[in-house]
Amino acid sequence: AARTEGLTPGAARLREKTLADFRRNGLDLPPLERARLSLWRKQLLDMEFAFGKNLNEVRGFLAAAPADLDGLPEEFVDRLTALPDGRRKVTLDYPDALPFMANARSADARRRLYAMTNSRAVPENVALLDEILALRRRVAKALGYRSYAHFIHEERMAGSPEAVAGFLSRLY
């Protein structure tokens, strides 16, 4: 790591990025802390997987009345499952939800579908999200970052959460 003589600019940049990646993965930490960091990262992966799995397992749907389907292409409506009471089943899955949100004229039906989509797996995932956020804070602190956002944005174009906040403020 200390040797820099004779490196081309490209090799020097590769060396710099590689060393930064090693540090971001805990290379500078004592062995016990590095092992703890490794365990936390595995736990994070498991929790993030469980979060996504919970979302994917939700089988909810909007029972859309004929008036709710106004504005949608006929082919789209025809492929929706018909319910015994004459309404159509609009699932929360992308192939149903996105066209419905983009084309349905009923603001109330769009609002109901939006609320259903964004409240999927709420009891399970709220608890998981709390755990994920706490664990991300621990990972960031262990690696010497002020927050997980600082850790993540270090490698992104924005460079810092403050730059992101400034951009969003100017955009607003």
Side-chain angles (χ1 to χ4, degrees):
R3 286 189 247 152
T4 58
E5 68 279 345
L7 292 178
T8 65
R13 177 73 174 135
L14 176 62
R15 176 189 154 279
E16 176 187 316
K17 289 287 289 166
T18 302
L19 291 173
D21 286 344
F22 283 146
R23 284 187 204 98
R24 288 174 59 80
N25 283 303
L27 180 69
D28 292 341
L29 297 176
L32 183 59
E33 288 182 46
R34 195 167 44 242
R36 188 177 305 135
L37 179 67
S38 179
L39 174 65
W40 289 343
R41 287 207 161 138
K42 185 194 177 321
Q43 289 173 329
L44 268 174
L45 285 174
D46 291 346
M47 286 188 276
E48 290 165 355
F49 177 78
F51 188 95
K53 185 174 181 256
N54 288 344
L55 289 177
N56 290 333
E57 288 179 349
V58 171
R59 295 291 165 238
F61 62 90
L62 173 70
D68 296 333
L69 301 170
D70 190 35
L72 293 160
E74 190 176 323
E75 313 80 56
F76 175 82
V77 174
D78 288 344
R79 76 168 180 74
L80 296 174
T81 303
L83 297 170
D85 62 2
R87 295 183 295 173
R88 296 287 181 145
K89 184 177 179 178
V90 181
T91 70
L92 306 180
D93 297 330
Y94 176 86
D96 286 358
L98 187 69
F100 187 89
M101 294 301 289
N103 298 300
R105 289 194 183 115
S106 170
D108 180 60
R110 289 193 317 270
R111 194 175 303 111
R112 286 183 285 141
L113 184 64
Y114 180 83
M116 292 172 75
T117 301
N118 288 298
S119 62
R120 293 174 294 161
V122 164
E124 308 88 357
N125 277 357
V126 168
L128 263 176
L129 191 56
D130 287 340
E131 291 179 49
I132 288 169
L133 293 174
L135 200 47
R136 283 180 175 180
R137 276 191 294 275
R138 274 189 256 154
V139 166
K141 296 293 181 198
L143 292 170
Y145 292 88
R146 286 187 2 216
S147 70
Y148 195 75
H150 286 89
F151 172 72
I152 290 299
H153 287 293
E154 178 181 68
E155 291 192 318
R156 299 210 173 141
M157 185 185 296
S160 71
E162 294 81 12
V164 172
F167 171 76
L168 292 174
S169 178
R170 288 187 308 277
L171 184 63
Y172 179 72

